[in-house]
């Protein structure tokens, strides 16, 4: 049993001891849901990775009763979420990068990057939770292994393959008028498997014009050509529509600034991934993917100052082709090698203007702004075990990137190149079925290239300006100790990073700019434990100190970063097939977005208390009930500051109750 004893007034000072009490009250050891790594490149166990890795297994997903990926990620220690267009579309932050986190965390779906080439967070709303086999959250720099946008970490989502004939139907309804539904069917033979699924997510929320609708249809499967060759495929299409209510002046406001603004999105995802086990020691994969998105945005709440009959419209089309062949080979017990060639091409076309409708905009003779990127990088990794407990690892890549911009009036391009490396040492302190633990240390370089609209435009508002931005570069170090026991698992880590030329939008100059150097110190601890069969505990604590080290904002903190975050949970199964649980997340105060001078009041401590229950009525039928934000003190979706409007917010829903039913046979 654990207790919290702190006042919401002045809670910034009391939060650290409160978090430590939570962790101490849970246990030192914990049950890790899985020790097998699926998505982290060519590794097999968490204790073989020189980094902090959290795993959300299929069993965890089913037990949670959650319906979106963002809901699942919110429970992971060290992960924060924020956004302006609905809870399921929030961007992911790791390691204290604040409002720019969406460009520093790489999102992978079956090994394919989902990050956008522009300043828009990866859309996770269309990924069907019921199709997920496992989510791995890799916390820490991964630039050398994964490349661009992996500065702060990687979230790797692996989907399930059809294993037998089955049908699943589930649906949920919430007091905030959100309704979700999913149906899927699978069949499999000795050498093939096919899964077909459809999902509907209709979020309403408490604010006017904050509703969103997402419909997704997916078909996936595999075919074993021979005993050593297989082909995996996936095709998904999703159609979205969501309101853009704008900001509010109060944290819990239900009124809206923009009651009529909205966006429509249509997207597709196609993946073909051949795999060949060419020997007992070697394997190669050839994943090729194509993604397409069409986004139409309408700002109907404000008119053109020169003509009150016209509105502002924006059209954006994004095409992405990714090819990431790789090969791994185990030479002997002491040497293992991995090599890959990462390549990606993006093409972005935007058209914006004032007119009476989308149709009129299509017919208008507006010249679209065309932006494209190409990215190539050979990657090599070698793991050397000179003596059995000791593991040495070196990763290197040479990354090249070209961005092109053509607005009709301006035609420009810029190329970047960067050698990136990382070295690590890992020592297995213990290695047995009862207790597997390791201590590690790593050091390496990090980087990120500018987005298309960082150099050419901002959030779809096109300009005739091509900014000569520098690439973000820096170094990172990390050390930690983690282990897995028969009753649980634990993870303790600390880290440091220093980055130059981080790119941030400056509201005063209406342009993206390279910032002064920033240093981040991070530390964290997490545990899971099942001391007895029918009781499970989880707890986590994260510390981040992110501040500017020189220049105009020297010694100022990076906005939107809570220095202390604490999470905890307990699940009790009093009788077989019935479970009750509670979760809590506490975020310490933080500065509002764009408040680099730290001149404004901090956001107060945020507390999100939740309850959950499940009942397995039959082997095929399960009921869930969840309560979120019971104290109505959870973090707003987004909080910022501007000199013209002062503090502004994108409020989060208040106390929300959800019921869900799942049938599978």
């Amino acid at each position: 049993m654990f207790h919290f004893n702190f006042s919401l007034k002045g809670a910034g000072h009391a939060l650290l001891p409160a978090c430590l009490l939570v962790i101490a009250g849970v246990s030192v050891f914990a049950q890790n849901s899985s020790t097998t790594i699926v998505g982290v490149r060519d590794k097999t166990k968490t204790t073989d990775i020189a980094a902090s890795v959290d795993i959300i297994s299929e069993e965890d997903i089913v037990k949670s009763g959650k319906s979106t990926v963002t809901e699942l990620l919110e429970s992971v220690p060290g992960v924060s979420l924020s956004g302006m267009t609905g809870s399921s579309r929030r961007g992911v932050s790791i390691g204290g990068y604040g409002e720019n986190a969406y460009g520093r965390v790489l999102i992978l779906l079956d090994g394919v990057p989902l990050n956008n080439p522009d300043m828009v967070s990866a859309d996770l709303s269309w990924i069907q939770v019921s199709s997920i086999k496992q989510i791995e959250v890799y916390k820490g720099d991964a630039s050398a292994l994964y490349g661009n946008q992996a500065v702060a970490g990687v979230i790797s989502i692996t989907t399930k393959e059809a294993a037998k004939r089955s049908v699943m139907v589930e649906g949920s309804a919430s007091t905030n008028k959100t309704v979700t539904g999913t149906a899927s069917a699978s069949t499999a033979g000795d050498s093939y498997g096919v899964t077909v699924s459809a999902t509907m997510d209709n979020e309403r929320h408490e604010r006017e014009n904050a509703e969103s609708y997402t419909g997704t249809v997916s078909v996936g499967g595999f075919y074993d050509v021979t005993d050593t060759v297989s082909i995996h495929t996936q095709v998904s299409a999703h159609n979205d529509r969501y309101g853009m209510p704008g900001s509010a002046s109060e944290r819990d406001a239900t009124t809206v600034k923009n009651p009529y603004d909205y966006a429509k999105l249509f997207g597709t995802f196609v993946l073909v991934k051949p795999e060949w086990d060419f020997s007992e020691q070697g394997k190669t994969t050839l994943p090729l993917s194509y993604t397409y998105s069409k986004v139409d945005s309408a700002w109907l709440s404000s008119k053109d100052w020169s003509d009150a009959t016209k509105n502002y419209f924006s059209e954006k089309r994004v095409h992405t082709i990714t090819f990431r062949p790789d090969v791994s080979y185990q030479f002997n017990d002491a040497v293992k090698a991995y090599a890959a060639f990462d390549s990606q091409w993006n093409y972005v076309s935007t058209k914006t203007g004032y007119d009476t409708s989308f149709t009129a905009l299509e017919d208008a003779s507006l010249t679209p702004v065309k932006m494209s990127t190409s990215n190539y990088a050979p990657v090599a990794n070698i793991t050397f075990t000179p003596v059995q407990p000791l593991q040495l690892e070196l990763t290197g890549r040479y990354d090249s990137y070209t961005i092109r911009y053509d607005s009709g009036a301006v035609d420009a391009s810029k190329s970047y190149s960067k050698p990136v490396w990382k070295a690590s040492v890992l020592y297995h302190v213990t290695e047995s079925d009862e207790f597997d633990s390791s201590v590690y240390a790593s050091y390496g370089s990090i980087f990120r290239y500018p987005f298309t609209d960082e150099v050419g435009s901002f959030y779809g508002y096109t300009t005739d300006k091509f900014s000569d931005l520098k690439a973000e570069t820096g170094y990172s170090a990390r050390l930690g100790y983690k282990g897995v026991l028969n009753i649980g698992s634990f993870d303790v880590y600390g880290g440091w990073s220093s980055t130059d030329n981080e790119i941030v939008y400056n509201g005063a100059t209406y342009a993206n700019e390279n910032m002064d150097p920033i240093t981040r110190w991070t530390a964290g601890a997490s545990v899971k434990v099942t001391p007895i069969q029918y009781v499970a505990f989880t707890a986590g604590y994260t510390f981040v100190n992110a501040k500017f080290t020189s220049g105009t904002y020297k010694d100022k903190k990076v906005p939107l970063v809570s220095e202390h975050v604490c999470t905890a949970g307990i699940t009790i199964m009093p009788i077989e097939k019935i479970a009750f649980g509670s979760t809590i997340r506490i975020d310490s105060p933080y500065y509002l977005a764009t408040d680099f001078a730290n001149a404004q009041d901090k956001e107060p401590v945020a507390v999100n208390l939740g309850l959950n229950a499940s009942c397995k009525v039959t082997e095929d039928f399960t009921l869930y009930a969840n309560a979120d934000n019971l104290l109505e003190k959870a973090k707003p979706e987004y909080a910022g500051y501007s000199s013209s409007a002062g503090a502004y917010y994108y409020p989060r829903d208040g106390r929300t109750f959800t019921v869900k039913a799942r049938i599978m046979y």
Side-chain angles (χ1 to χ4, degrees):
M1 185 172 182
F2 48 86
H3 304 274
F4 296 89
N5 182 19
F6 68 96
S7 170
L8 294 180
K9 293 184 178 180
H13 299 290
L15 183 58
L16 175 57
C19 290
L20 295 178
L21 283 172
V22 170
I23 295 176
V26 175
S27 180
V28 177
F29 304 112
Q31 176 64 41
N32 198 355
S33 56
S34 172
T35 59
T36 302
I37 296 293
V38 178
V40 175
R41 287 188 159 186
D42 195 44
K43 291 291 189 289
T44 56
K45 295 192 305 180
T46 57
T47 50
D48 287 339
I49 307 293
S52 175
V53 181
D54 281 273
I55 296 176
I56 304 174
S57 69
E58 181 180 358
E59 181 182 4
D60 295 332
I61 294 170
V62 171
K63 287 181 177 179
S64 73
K66 302 296 186 182
S67 299
T68 66
V69 175
T70 53
E71 289 176 332
L72 292 169
L73 292 174
E74 198 166 25
S75 64
V76 177
V79 174
S80 298
L81 302 164
S82 64
M84 303 179 185
T85 55
S87 59
S88 64
R89 290 181 174 80
R90 288 175 291 174
V92 181
S93 174
I94 297 175
Y97 279 84
E99 61 186 300
N100 286 340
Y102 55 81
R104 282 80 178 179
V105 178
L106 185 65
I107 310 294
L108 301 175
L109 178 63
D110 290 327
V112 176
L114 294 184
N115 297 61
N116 292 301
D118 57 5
M119 297 172 63
V120 177
S121 299
D123 186 4
L124 304 178
S125 65
W126 64 272
I127 300 177
Q128 299 161 314
V129 168
S130 61
S131 70
I132 297 175
K133 176 181 180 180
Q134 190 161 284
I135 301 176
E136 293 140 26
V137 181
Y138 182 109
K139 292 178 287 189
D141 65 283
S143 294
L145 192 59
Y146 289 97
N148 192 26
Q149 301 190 32
V151 172
V154 177
I155 294 177
S156 180
I157 302 171
T158 304
T159 58
K160 295 181 287 189
E161 290 187 344
K164 61 180 180 179
R165 184 173 299 176
S166 64
V167 175
M168 189 277 295
V169 178
E170 65 180 22
S172 69
S174 303
T175 53
N176 63 2
K177 300 180 182 179
T178 293
V179 178
T180 68
T182 299
S184 66
S186 298
T187 186
D190 293 337
S191 61
Y192 72 92
V194 178
T195 299
V196 180
S197 61
T199 295
M200 178 275 296
D201 182 359
N202 190 358
E203 300 181 15
R204 305 296 292 182
H205 302 294
E206 295 177 349
R207 298 182 72 202
E208 182 186 359
N209 196 34
E211 72 274 11
S212 67
Y213 171 83
T214 302
T216 305
V217 177
S218 296
V219 179
F222 71 91
Y223 178 66
D224 294 331
V225 182
T226 67
D227 290 341
T228 59
V229 178
S230 61
I231 299 175
H232 305 258
T233 62
Q234 182 178 344
V235 179
S236 297
H238 58 102
N239 189 55
D240 304 6
R241 189 189 191 282
Y242 52 90
M244 298 186 293
S247 60
S249 58
E250 302 293 335
R251 296 181 186 89
D252 56 355
T254 58
T255 57
V256 298
K257 179 188 289 186
N258 306 319
Y260 308 114
D261 298 358
Y262 71 92
K264 298 184 297 182
L265 183 151
F266 173 77
T268 59
F269 174 80
V270 180
L271 170 65
V272 178
K273 184 167 69 173
E275 296 182 352
W276 177 32
D277 296 328
F278 56 85
S279 72
E280 292 184 359
Q281 297 81 27
K283 178 180 180 179
T284 184
T285 62
L286 302 170
L288 174 64
S289 68
Y290 169 73
T291 59
Y292 168 75
S293 66
K294 170 186 175 184
V295 184
D296 293 335
S297 303
W299 286 265
L300 306 181
S301 303
S302 57
K303 304 288 185 179
D304 181 2
W305 291 346
S306 62
D307 187 346
T309 66
K310 294 184 178 181
N311 300 293
Y312 187 73
F313 295 91
S314 173
E315 299 177 346
K316 182 173 68 173
R317 311 291 183 261
V318 182
H319 302 263
T320 301
I321 298 175
T322 304
F323 184 49
R324 295 160 63 91
D326 61 23
V327 59
S328 61
Y329 193 81
Q330 183 80 49
F331 289 94
N332 50 50
D333 292 340
V335 180
K336 186 175 184 179
Y338 172 88
F341 186 81
D342 293 348
S343 57
Q344 187 176 80
W345 303 267
N346 291 288
Y347 175 79
V348 182
S349 173
T350 65
K351 182 189 289 187
T352 59
Y354 289 97
D355 223 311
T356 56
S357 67
F358 274 116
T359 302
L361 184 64
E362 286 282 359
D363 296 337
S365 58
L366 293 175
T367 301
V369 174
K370 302 174 183 178
M371 294 169 278
S372 64
T373 67
S374 57
N375 189 192
Y376 308 94
V379 185
N381 169 278
I382 186 166
T383 302
F384 176 51
T385 307
V387 292
Q388 191 54 46
L390 182 65
Q391 175 181 299
L392 307 176
E393 186 175 358
L394 180 63
T395 305
R397 73 188 293 125
Y398 187 82
D399 216 283
S400 60
Y401 177 85
T402 299
I403 184 169
R404 299 174 181 84
Y405 175 81
D406 181 7
S407 67
V410 176
D411 189 348
S413 66
K414 184 175 178 63
S415 296
Y416 304 82
S417 61
K418 177 70 177 175
V420 191
W421 60 273
K422 183 175 182 179
S424 66
V425 56
L426 183 145
Y427 185 84
H428 286 277
V429 180
T430 58
E431 194 168 11
S432 68
D433 292 338
E434 291 76 23
F435 186 18
D436 185 7
S437 67
S438 59
V439 60
Y440 63 86
S442 66
Y443 183 79
S445 56
I446 55 180
F447 77 102
R448 186 186 77 86
Y449 299 129
F451 291 116
T452 54
D453 51 355
E454 283 179 323
V455 298
S457 63
F458 176 69
Y459 281 118
Y461 297 92
T462 54
T463 66
D464 282 337
K465 179 181 178 181
F466 186 81
S467 303
D468 188 20
L469 292 172
K470 299 177 182 178
E472 299 177 359
T473 58
Y475 294 92
S476 176
R478 207 167 183 89
L479 54 87
Y481 176 51
K482 56 186 174 180
V484 178
L485 299 90
N486 53 8
I487 64 164
S489 67
F490 65 93
D491 184 4
V492 182
Y493 66 88
W496 163 91
S497 68
S498 177
T499 55
D500 294 326
N501 303 313
E502 282 190 29
I503 302 169
V504 176
Y505 178 70
N506 188 333
T509 62
Y510 300 101
N512 293 282
E513 300 175 355
N514 290 117
M515 300 293 286
D516 294 315
I518 298 174
T519 296
R520 293 174 174 85
W521 291 93
T522 60
S526 62
V527 294
K528 294 182 181 180
V529 62
T530 305
I532 58 177
Q533 184 176 0
Y534 299 114
V535 179
F537 298 96
T538 64
Y541 166 72
T542 304
F543 166 79
V544 178
N545 185 336
K547 65 180 182 179
F548 294 91
T549 53
S550 64
T552 305
Y553 303 115
K554 183 179 179 181
D555 295 329
K556 301 299 183 181
K557 299 292 182 67
V558 174
L560 282 187
V561 177
S562 292
E563 199 163 73
H564 308 282
V565 178
C566 184
T567 60
I570 181 173
T571 301
I572 300 173
M573 187 179 292
I575 60 175
E576 190 176 2
K577 299 183 178 181
I578 295 179
F580 299 94
S582 178
T583 60
I584 190 168
R585 178 187 175 105
I586 310 170
D587 293 76
S588 69
Y590 58 90
Y591 289 103
L592 303 178
T594 73
D595 182 19
F596 299 106
N598 298 171
Q600 307 304 313
D601 291 337
K602 287 184 176 182
E603 269 294 281
V605 161
V607 181
N608 188 1
L609 176 65
L611 298 174
N612 56 78
S614 64
C615 176
K616 196 168 186 179
V617 181
T618 68
E619 289 300 316
D620 303 322
F621 180 43
T622 305
L623 292 173
Y624 304 89
N626 286 286
D628 182 64
N629 198 11
L630 285 173
L631 303 180
E632 297 193 324
K633 294 186 178 295
K635 285 177 63 175
E637 302 285 7
Y638 188 83
Y641 174 82
S642 71
S643 57
S644 59
Y648 61 89
Y649 305 90
Y650 286 79
R652 180 170 179 150
D653 286 343
R655 191 178 296 112
T656 304
F657 299 92
T658 303
V659 293
K660 181 177 180 178
R662 176 186 175 98
I663 301 173
M664 186 166 185
Y665 55 92

